[in-house]
Amino acid sequence: MVELDCLGDMCPIPIMKLKQCEALNETGEQVMLVTDHSCVLESIADYCGKRNLDMHVEEPMNGIWEITVTKV
């Protein structure tokens, strides 16, 4: 699994980092995007919905989200 550190990054930077990630070229591959901006959750959800990607969100610490994106 590839991890993208997007702490402190405002939209659209996390989307741009996800688009450049080649790990999502194969079915079953995963990318974990770590962010501290709640607006990124909506942007990633919209992006995943349009590209047949699965998204799972966890908040391990208050205000820090781990978004796992999987190629399906």
Side-chain angles (χ1 to χ4, degrees):
M1 178 184 315
V2 174
E3 185 174 318
L4 298 177
D5 180 0
C6 296
L7 294 173
D9 292 345
M10 299 292 286
C11 292
I13 302 299
I15 293 286
M16 293 169 62
K17 286 183 177 181
L18 187 60
K19 285 180 181 180
Q20 293 176 349
C21 188
E22 295 179 9
L24 291 176
N25 291 336
E26 300 278 331
T27 301
E29 295 295 325
Q30 295 183 317
V31 172
M32 179 186 288
L33 190 144
V34 181
T35 185
D36 55 354
H37 290 280
S38 61
C39 64
V40 173
L41 299 173
E42 290 182 38
S43 299
I44 298 293
D46 184 50
Y47 177 80
C48 290
K50 293 177 181 176
R51 286 161 184 81
N52 196 30
L53 299 169
D54 186 45
M55 176 181 132
H56 175 75
V57 179
E58 290 187 28
E59 188 176 7
M61 295 179 355
N62 191 24
I64 303 292
W65 292 273
E66 295 178 345
I67 306 167
T68 303
V69 178
T70 306
K71 175 77 172 179
V72 289

